[in-house]
Amino acid sequence: KAGVTQTPRYLIKTRGQQVTLSCSPISGHRSVSWYQQTPGQGLQFLFEYFSETQRNKGNFPGRFSGRQFSNSRSEMNVSTLELGDSALYLCASTTGYTEAFFGQGTRLTVV
Amino acid sequence: LAKTTQPISMDSYEGQEVNITCSHNNIATNDYITWYQQFPSQGPRFIIQGYKTKVTNEVASLFIPADRKSSTLSLPRVSLSDTAVYYCLVRDNAGNMLTFGGGTRLMVKP
């Protein structure tokens, strides 16, 4: 069974640009959640989707958005990038009732 | 917002038992407590999950008191390869948000 796949693995963007990250969950998993990981703030919850609906949202500005498609794949978008957005962005999938499985993450560097 | 706290770091020696406690005062009533292990440049890896009392699997045990305001991950007979950062994850009962603890960096020495 394939695991959670995140693309791209690495990304370099300049300030002011926007970026879209992709997450393909494990087959059969309907819930996808996103996290930002930085050395200073640790793992912080961004949002959670279940069956194409945003179920929860963390305390991030509106520049951070996401969506989930009918096949459960999810994307997150960050607009007007800032240097502080440099982080490892992790996606996790679950059936909704079991433990979450994480992808390898996308490392975003904003220069 | 719920505060989920763990010790920042712990040291141990090979063969010892390690216990890492996570405090989660505002845990949601009906959700599980989950622990993850993370190595550098990798996503967190599931270790164990529980709702109450004690859960044991092939790699760890999880102890949860009746009030569920804390949980303790127990790693029996650690080895050098258990050197990693360990996180607890809970859902808080305020905004229903998933909240990670700050992570405990475990260093296992020979």
Side-chain angles (χ1 to χ4, degrees):
Chain A
K1 194 179 208 183
V4 179
T5 303
Q6 291 189 245
T7 56
R9 288 292 311 278
Y10 302 93
L11 204 51
I12 299 176
K13 291 283 190 179
T14 57
R15 278 178 295 175
Q17 286 188 311
Q18 68 93 28
V19 67
T20 300
L21 311 181
S22 179
C23 172
S24 293
I26 293 172
S27 177
H29 285 194
R30 296 163 64 190
S31 174
V32 172
S33 54
W34 289 87
Y35 302 84
Q36 181 196 64
Q37 186 171 32
T38 59
Q41 298 295 321
L43 278 155
Q44 291 191 288
F45 170 70
L46 279 156
F47 18 69
E48 179 184 13
Y49 288 89
F50 185 84
S51 294
E52 301 180 66
T53 301
Q54 188 178 84
R55 190 154 73 168
N56 287 296
K57 190 176 191 304
N59 295 322
F60 279 82
R63 300 185 296 108
F64 292 80
S65 62
R67 59 178 175 169
Q68 187 180 31
F69 302 96
S70 58
N71 62 359
S72 293
R73 191 177 71 85
S74 177
E75 289 181 347
M76 69 162 280
N77 184 277
V78 187
S79 62
T80 320
L81 284 165
E82 301 176 0
L83 295 179
D85 296 333
S86 294
L88 179 67
Y89 289 89
L90 290 159
C91 160
S93 82
T94 170
T95 59
Y97 309 103
T98 61
E99 69 272 19
F101 294 87
F102 283 81
Q104 297 275 60
T106 294
R107 184 162 298 281
L108 171 66
T109 302
V110 183
V111 297
Chain B
L1 195 64
K3 188 88 172 145
T4 306
T5 57
Q6 309 174 224
I8 293 174
S9 64
M10 295 181 72
D11 287 347
S12 183
Y13 290 93
E14 282 189 291
Q16 287 189 329
E17 177 185 77
V18 171
N19 295 309
I20 306 173
T21 296
C22 178
S23 170
H24 30 78
N25 291 327
N26 289 350
I27 186 173
T29 304
N30 299 320
D31 217 340
Y32 286 87
I33 299 160
T34 313
W35 282 80
Y36 292 86
Q37 175 193 56
Q38 188 178 30
F39 297 110
S41 301
Q42 293 186 21
R45 185 176 73 95
F46 172 82
I47 302 174
I48 197 167
Q49 182 181 66
Y51 182 76
K52 59 180 179 180
T53 62
K54 178 184 174 182
V55 179
T56 297
N57 63 20
E58 60 276 9
V59 299
S61 293
L62 181 59
F63 299 91
I64 305 168
D67 65 7
R68 297 186 0 107
K69 293 185 183 301
S70 67
S71 59
T72 298
L73 172 72
S74 181
L75 303 172
R77 299 179 297 282
V78 293
S79 63
L80 297 177
S81 62
D82 292 319
T83 293
V85 181
Y86 293 82
Y87 294 93
C88 60
L89 174 64
V90 301
R91 192 182 297 271
D92 76 78
N93 65 4
N96 206 33
M97 279 173 41
L98 290 162
T99 305
F100 273 100
T104 299
R105 188 173 299 276
L106 173 65
M107 174 67 72
V108 180
K109 303 174 184 176

